Amino acid sequence: MTKPLNGDFSTPIDDRYFEDYLPGSVYEYGTVTVSEAEILQFAERFDPQPIHVDPEYASGGPFGGLIASGWHSGGIFMRMYADHYLSRVASLASPGLDELRWPSPLRPGDTVRLRATVLEARPSRSKPDRGIVRTRGELLTEDGRTVLDLVAVNLLLRRPTTA
């Protein structure tokens, strides 16, 4: 597990509840380096387009070389998000993602970090024991390129009250 780059929550991941996700807070975690072998292995199994599985074809393609599947970058994002950002005690589920984009390609040798920005945290109107957190998630390369940009929606339990 890697450590956060720019500070972390004031509460550890195994004691983090809805109330700890404060709108405007930004957290960065990293890093993961992707290899050509990983790109090929993922793409051969899940996204066998020539730009992902055939380095010779990809060299003459629109990106001038082999690139990772966007779904591969999504998997890298999810692992970092679960390891560092999502509560281990309060995360219930996710109803989905919004605004999923891959603005620039993830290439062999790229090293990425996760940036998570809390956009919104609001209590559920129908279930008072939980809240809804919207987070902008980005994977950024060392030179600042964004290779994945999305908005995640997560359901999190509220901190239990002690009576």
Side-chain angles (χ1 to χ4, degrees):
M1 185 184 314
T2 55
K3 297 205 183 244
L5 299 174
N6 291 340
D8 202 356
F9 286 82
S10 60
T11 53
I13 199 165
D14 58 357
D15 190 33
R16 195 174 295 159
Y17 287 87
F18 165 76
E19 291 80 4
D20 298 307
Y21 293 82
L22 302 175
S25 298
V26 179
Y27 305 100
E28 290 195 11
Y29 305 97
T31 58
V32 171
T33 301
V34 64
S35 70
E36 181 173 312
E38 291 170 317
I39 289 172
L40 292 170
Q41 182 181 25
F42 181 94
E44 286 169 2
R45 182 151 185 220
F46 298 109
D47 191 356
Q49 297 180 70
I51 59 174
H52 304 315
V53 297
D54 184 343
E56 187 176 326
Y57 172 87
S59 69
F63 299 100
L66 190 71
I67 63 168
S69 166
W71 300 113
H72 186 176
S73 62
I76 293 168
F77 166 84
M78 193 63 224
R79 180 59 194 247
M80 295 173 84
Y81 194 71
D83 281 351
H84 302 290
Y85 181 78
L86 275 181
S87 167
R88 295 218 172 99
V89 294
S91 179
L92 296 171
S94 172
L97 299 172
D98 296 329
E99 305 173 28
L100 174 61
R101 301 285 184 267
W102 299 294
S104 65
L106 178 62
R107 298 181 180 280
D110 278 347
T111 298
V112 294
R113 70 184 185 279
L114 167 66
R115 179 186 296 150
T117 304
V118 182
L119 299 176
E120 174 186 19
R122 65 176 176 80
S124 171
R125 289 187 280 270
S126 61
K127 297 184 180 180
D129 68 332
R130 66 197 64 186
I132 301 158
V133 176
R134 293 181 69 245
T135 303
R136 172 154 316 279
E138 300 165 279
L139 283 184
L140 306 165
T141 63
E142 289 178 307
D143 63 357
R145 286 184 300 111
T146 303
V147 298
L148 177 139
D149 184 5
L150 58 77
V151 174
V153 182
N154 295 97
L155 305 175
L156 295 157
L157 287 173
R158 297 184 81 176
R159 182 167 273 107
T161 56
T162 54

